[in-house]
Amino acid sequence: HDCDNDMTYCCRKLLAAKLWANDNGGQWRHGVKQKNLDLLCVSQFTLYGKLSKKNQPDYKMAMKAEPAETMYAAFLKMLKDNYDEEKIHDGVFGAMMDVELVNDGPVTIIIESAPSPPEQDQTPEIDDE
């Protein structure tokens, strides 16, 4: 149930996340923009996988491929519009990819927009007393 507001929130948080040391060695002081770094974005629906009762992967919580690809492309465009288009990179949506990297950590940060509050039930409560 993701929407444009969720993408905007995640884009803003990702570009502002202070994950690197500053020039004086102070940890968690600089973000991607301050360090003039490149970003590699990789779509990964498997993050929403759960194990079924049969211990098999279940991806029912993940968005369906077609709307997910459209939203992912919009997210990449949003990153490019809010940073440097030449510094935003991505893989092939839905493809099996081998990604080789050096992980500066170990640190894992999950950026997820806050869920919308549930709609209030408009049915009046009936007191049985």
Side-chain angles (χ1 to χ4, degrees):
H1 303 285
D2 295 323
C3 65
D4 288 348
N5 288 341
D6 296 304
M7 283 194 307
T8 300
Y9 174 87
C10 291
C11 176
R12 187 177 73 244
K13 291 298 266 187
L14 177 59
L15 293 177
K18 296 182 178 188
L19 303 173
W20 292 274
N22 63 16
D23 295 337
N24 298 326
Q27 291 297 314
W28 316 112
R29 299 289 191 261
H30 281 178
V32 168
K33 287 182 168 184
Q34 291 167 299
K35 295 296 239 179
N36 200 31
L37 298 172
D38 286 32
L39 279 176
L40 173 61
C41 300
V42 178
S43 64
Q44 192 172 356
F45 74 91
T46 57
L47 291 174
Y48 279 92
K50 295 184 179 202
L51 287 178
S52 70
K53 290 179 183 177
K54 295 179 181 179
N55 293 319
Q56 296 170 319
D58 178 344
Y59 300 108
K60 290 178 187 168
M61 296 296 293
M63 185 182 279
K64 299 296 179 205
E66 190 173 309
E69 186 171 9
T70 300
M71 181 167 264
Y72 181 65
F75 182 71
L76 290 172
K77 182 180 181 330
M78 190 177 289
L79 287 170
K80 291 174 181 180
D81 290 347
N82 286 280
Y83 185 36
D84 179 349
E85 183 173 349
E86 300 298 317
K87 293 193 174 292
I88 305 298
H89 310 280
D90 70 307
V92 178
F93 185 89
M96 185 66 114
M97 293 179 286
D98 292 327
V99 178
E100 187 173 322
L101 64 112
V102 174
N103 195 0
D104 185 12
V107 174
T108 300
I109 306 289
I110 297 174
I111 299 174
E112 191 167 32
S113 60
S116 301
E119 292 185 24
Q120 297 295 321
D121 184 3
Q122 299 301 320
T123 307
E125 287 186 29
I126 299 174
D127 192 358
D128 290 340
E129 291 181 39

